[in-house]
Amino acid sequence: MLSRKRCKLDISESMRECGDSTLLANLEKRIEVSFEMDVCKHLVDSFGGLCSLCGLRLEEEESGVTFVYIHEALRIQNDEVVRLRNEETKILLHLRKLYLVLDLDHTLLNSAPLMHLTVEEVHLKSQTASLQDVSKGSLFMLEFIRMMTKLRPNIRTFLEEANQMFEMYIYTMGDRPYELEMAKLLDPSGKYFSNRVISRDDGTQRHQKSLDVVLGQESAVLILDDTESAWAKRKDNLILMERYNFFASSCHQFGYHCKSLSELKSDESEPDGALSSVLKVLKRIHPYVL
């Protein structure tokens, strides 16, 4: 989320949510005027192809980095991205925090299409928690997307404690609709991630994850992911997670010829599982944790 001194961007939180008709109307007027005036020469950020300083069309509209997860029309010029990263990192370090980029599937949770549940997994349908208060459960059936999702043991404690040390991002190679549904299960109030939810469509590199769309200096970023190849250019930032395969379909996907945790009616240990272990590692790494 763009915070505090990012006032140079002429985009309020209400506009990001597309809920302010007055602001949108003003933007339309700026678009109309821009076609009648000179092209903007500012090398800063844009919204819908317009300079956020003067409202004119940008001469080099295709340059810079798009931040679709913040707003679908937002593009920030490279020099301005560097400035924002430096400024935001300085603010975060003052708050004694770093950045943490979290993968979703097989790191924080595991999902399976309902049609792929095995005979030994059908019993799970009667054990799912209510979507009305997701904080009280860990197994959910999302019939509107035909998926069942299991949150990794100790996820609530992990997020709460990690939030004290890091500004957190979700970054997945899944599509955006799925990602947003998973974010609601993990963070229904927006306390941990806000709008920092990045999907494969938001990145700058095809089939790869990149820190290009993270507004923080790379030296202050840690990454948790179960897939090393997704971060080929950022392995120094990566902590490789043990893969969470709760459902049988995930075991088959990765060529494991064994019964899944769900088929065994078992799960990872909360006190000794992967998230508990990596939380201890993060506390040892973090320079401000006493």
Side-chain angles (χ1 to χ4, degrees):
M1 181 171 119
L2 298 183
S3 60
R4 296 178 184 83
K5 296 184 180 180
R6 294 180 189 166
C7 55
K8 201 170 187 180
L9 297 180
D10 187 20
I11 307 169
S12 68
E13 193 67 33
S14 58
M15 174 168 271
R16 289 177 194 154
E17 297 174 355
C18 296
D20 192 322
S21 58
T22 302
L23 289 174
L24 292 174
N26 289 338
L27 179 61
E28 290 175 355
K29 291 180 181 178
R30 287 166 61 180
I31 293 173
E32 292 174 1
V33 171
S34 70
F35 282 103
E36 299 174 1
M37 301 175 67
D38 294 335
V39 174
C40 168
K41 304 296 182 181
H42 293 123
L43 294 178
V44 289
D45 43 281
S46 69
F47 181 72
L50 303 179
C51 173
S52 64
L53 293 179
C54 65
L56 300 184
R57 285 179 294 118
L58 291 175
E59 187 174 38
E60 299 180 5
E61 185 177 336
E62 294 305 315
S63 64
V65 180
T66 56
F67 287 81
V68 178
Y69 67 93
I70 297 174
H71 194 287
E72 62 182 7
L74 178 62
R75 178 184 293 272
I76 304 178
Q77 298 297 305
N78 294 330
D79 289 347
E80 184 68 359
V81 171
V82 172
R83 188 193 70 78
L84 284 171
R85 285 198 181 117
N86 292 338
E87 186 176 271
E88 286 303 304
T89 302
K90 183 177 180 180
I91 292 172
L92 210 62
L93 291 177
H94 180 73
L95 296 174
R96 304 173 73 85
K97 284 189 172 186
L98 300 175
Y99 297 90
L100 183 63
V101 177
L102 298 165
D103 174 52
L104 272 181
D105 291 291
H106 309 110
T107 297
L108 301 184
L109 51 81
N110 188 203
S111 294
L114 294 179
M115 63 183 295
H116 290 169
L117 295 180
T118 66
V119 173
E120 294 170 284
E121 292 178 316
V122 172
H123 72 279
L124 295 173
K125 291 184 177 181
S126 63
Q127 299 176 12
T128 56
S130 170
L131 294 175
Q132 300 304 311
D133 185 2
V134 298
S135 64
K136 295 182 178 180
S138 64
L139 180 65
F140 302 94
M141 185 158 58
L142 298 90
E143 295 202 46
F144 52 96
I145 58 173
R146 305 300 296 162
M147 300 286 288
M148 183 174 286
T149 295
K150 173 66 173 63
L151 305 187
R152 200 164 199 167
N154 208 40
I155 183 62
R156 306 294 182 192
T157 299
F158 172 84
L159 291 176
E160 182 65 30
E161 295 193 23
N163 188 53
Q164 305 305 311
M165 301 182 286
F166 300 95
E167 181 166 275
M168 296 188 290
Y169 285 75
I170 288 175
Y171 197 152
T172 178
M173 293 303 283
D175 60 31
R176 190 155 187 80
Y178 168 76
E179 175 191 47
L180 292 176
E181 292 303 326
M182 297 303 104
K184 289 178 186 177
L185 297 180
L186 294 168
D187 185 21
S189 66
K191 174 182 179 181
Y192 303 129
F193 303 110
S194 186
N195 64 347
R196 298 183 297 274
V197 181
I198 304 170
S199 71
R200 66 187 177 200
D201 301 323
D202 304 326
T204 60
Q205 300 179 35
R206 190 174 180 83
H207 305 309
Q208 281 281 305
K209 294 180 180 180
S210 167
L211 295 180
D212 294 352
V213 289
V214 174
L215 283 174
Q217 290 180 357
E218 294 171 0
S219 60
V221 178
L222 287 172
I223 302 164
L224 298 187
D225 203 312
D226 69 288
T227 306
E228 185 176 16
S229 60
W231 295 98
K233 297 181 179 180
R234 289 291 171 260
K235 291 184 180 180
D236 290 344
N237 301 75
L238 174 66
I239 298 175
L240 191 62
M241 292 290 292
E242 178 183 351
R243 187 166 283 146
Y244 184 48
N245 293 314
F246 182 77
F247 295 105
S249 59
S250 290
C251 291
H252 299 158
Q253 175 186 348
F254 294 103
Y256 301 143
H257 302 290
C258 59
K259 286 188 177 294
S260 66
L261 290 169
S262 60
E263 291 175 315
L264 294 171
K265 298 184 179 180
S266 181
D267 207 347
E268 287 185 354
S269 164
E270 282 215 6
D272 301 315
L275 289 181
S276 297
S277 298
V278 79
L279 186 59
K280 295 173 184 176
V281 172
L282 293 176
K283 289 179 178 179
R284 290 200 299 268
I285 292 174
H286 200 290
Y288 301 123
V289 177
L290 299 180

